């Protein structure tokens, strides 16, 4: 079995009008928080290019893969971070939810923004096991669009590989979005306790849990938790990260 540590974290886009919680005031804490996750694979959401460049300089152990949602270069990203001492990127692609998923900027009807998923196939070292990991951020305004995106995503996942799907799904654990993913064979990882993940820069832990890790295939959940440690004066984001420890079976 290959032990694998994964985490998902919506870091809040750096263009938000957040006053004292704006990106320049919290970026160091964000980087420290990601490093403290000590994860082999990390899924981030709401990452602009300038945020990614900052984090790449401070998290040099990781390779970042993923494209901007606007046109493949600009706009928010959902990068997958791969620890280079623990895994090797074999292949990766960014897909857009909608009728033409390989065309940058594609969006679902009625969506205010394109929504994307970054899918990376990685080889775990030293075991050599292949795993597909996906980072995504679903529509914030429409349950219907979230369901459509979830169904489309299920169809795009490699049926022959163990799956780790992570992201801000804008959906509660009991939502129909989770049901759609479950119908596609994905199992929701349940962190210990009842800690929420979305806190709107309050630092609270009793709000909604909308950031999730799901797995499929020969993957066993060893442990999972929402991390609420504050590693600086500023909050790292308006979300708390979720981390899971997984056992991935042999081929």
């Amino acid at each position: 079995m290959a032990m694998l540590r994964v985490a998902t974290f919506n870091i809040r886009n750096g263009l938000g009008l957040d006053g004292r919680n704006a990106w320049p005031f919290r970026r160091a804490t964000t980087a420290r928080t990601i490093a403290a996750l000590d994860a082999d694979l990390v899924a981030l959401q709401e990452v602009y290019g300038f945020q990614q460049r900052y984090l790449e300089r401070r998290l040099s152990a990781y390779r970042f893969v993923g494209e901007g949602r606007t046109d493949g270069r600009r706009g928010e990203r959902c990068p997958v971070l791969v620890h280079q001492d623990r895994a090797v990127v074999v292949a990766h692609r960014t897909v857009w939810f909608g009728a033409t998923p390989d065309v940058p900027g594609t969006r679902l009807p009625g969506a205010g923004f394109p929504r994307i998923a970054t899918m990376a196939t990685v080889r775990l070292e030293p075991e050599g096991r292949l795993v597909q990991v996906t980072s995504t951020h679903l529509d914030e305004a429409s349950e219907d669009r979230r369901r459509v995106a979830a169904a489309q995503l299920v169809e795009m996942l490699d049926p022959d590989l163990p799956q780790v799907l992570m992201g801000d799904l804008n959906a509660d654990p009991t939502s129909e979005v989770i049901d759609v993913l479950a119908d596609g064979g994905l199992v929701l990882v349940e962190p210990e306790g009842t800690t929420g993940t979305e806190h709107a820069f309050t630092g609270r832990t009793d709000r909604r849990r909308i950031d999730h890790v799901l797995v499929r295939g020969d993957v066993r959940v060893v442990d999972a938790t929402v991390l609420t440690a504050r590693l600086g004066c500023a909050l790292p984001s308006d979300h708390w990260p979720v981390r899971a420890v997984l056992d991935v079976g042999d081929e």
Side-chain angles (χ1 to χ4, degrees), residues 2-250:
M3 193 70 71
L4 181 64
R5 296 184 302 274
V6 303
T8 183
F9 190 20
N10 180 329
I11 69 167
R12 172 61 176 167
N13 80 78
L15 298 182
L17 302 177
D18 297 321
R20 64 182 181 180
N21 295 307
W23 175 248
F25 301 121
R26 60 184 174 84
R27 61 184 186 176
T29 305
T30 305
R32 282 195 294 269
T33 299
I34 296 170
L37 293 171
D38 192 27
D40 307 311
L41 304 172
V42 183
L44 300 182
Q45 300 86 44
E46 291 200 26
V47 184
Y48 275 98
F50 65 91
Q51 293 176 286
Q52 179 166 316
R53 290 189 290 273
Y54 176 88
L55 293 173
E56 285 177 323
R57 292 194 296 271
R58 283 151 183 82
L59 300 167
S60 58
Y62 288 94
R63 179 181 173 185
F64 289 60
V65 297
E67 301 178 51
R69 71 184 185 185
T70 302
D71 57 7
R73 294 180 297 105
R74 297 174 298 164
E76 293 181 18
R77 304 176 183 198
C78 294
V80 172
L81 282 57
V82 179
H83 198 292
Q84 298 178 96
D85 292 337
R86 186 67 180 90
V88 175
V89 178
V90 175
H92 67 89
R93 65 188 288 222
T94 298
V95 294
W96 282 256
F97 297 118
T100 52
D102 291 311
V103 177
T106 294
R107 65 182 71 185
L108 288 167
F113 306 98
R115 291 286 178 174
I116 59 174
T118 301
M119 309 170 73
T121 299
V122 301
R123 185 176 67 249
L124 305 182
E125 301 292 351
E127 300 86 1
R129 186 69 165 107
L130 292 178
V131 177
Q132 188 172 54
V133 57
T134 300
S135 175
T136 194
H137 188 188
L138 300 188
D139 195 286
E140 83 291 356
S142 167
E143 179 81 3
D144 287 342
R145 287 195 291 272
R146 289 192 290 272
R147 286 197 302 266
V148 171
Q152 187 173 11
L153 184 55
V154 166
E155 293 299 317
M156 291 188 286
L157 299 177
D158 190 327
D160 298 322
L161 293 179
Q163 295 292 331
V164 182
L165 168 63
M166 301 186 281
D168 177 356
L169 305 186
N170 276 305
D172 297 304
T174 58
S175 70
E176 292 183 12
V177 173
I178 301 298
D179 291 341
V180 170
L181 296 171
D183 289 343
L186 288 151
V187 177
L188 180 67
V189 174
E190 295 281 2
E192 296 179 1
T194 59
T195 306
T197 59
E198 176 274 325
H199 60 80
F201 285 118
T202 65
R204 291 172 56 173
T205 60
D206 59 349
R207 293 166 66 101
R208 297 175 64 201
R209 182 183 292 171
I210 61 175
D211 302 85
H212 301 291
V213 178
L214 298 98
V215 298
R216 190 176 77 184
D218 192 5
V219 181
R220 183 176 68 88
V221 180
V222 177
D223 180 60
T225 187
V226 179
L227 285 93
T228 59
R230 298 181 63 160
L231 304 180
C233 295
L235 286 160
S237 175
D238 59 347
H239 288 236
W240 297 118
V242 181
R243 183 178 62 192
V245 180
L246 310 172
D247 259 343
V248 181
D250 295 330

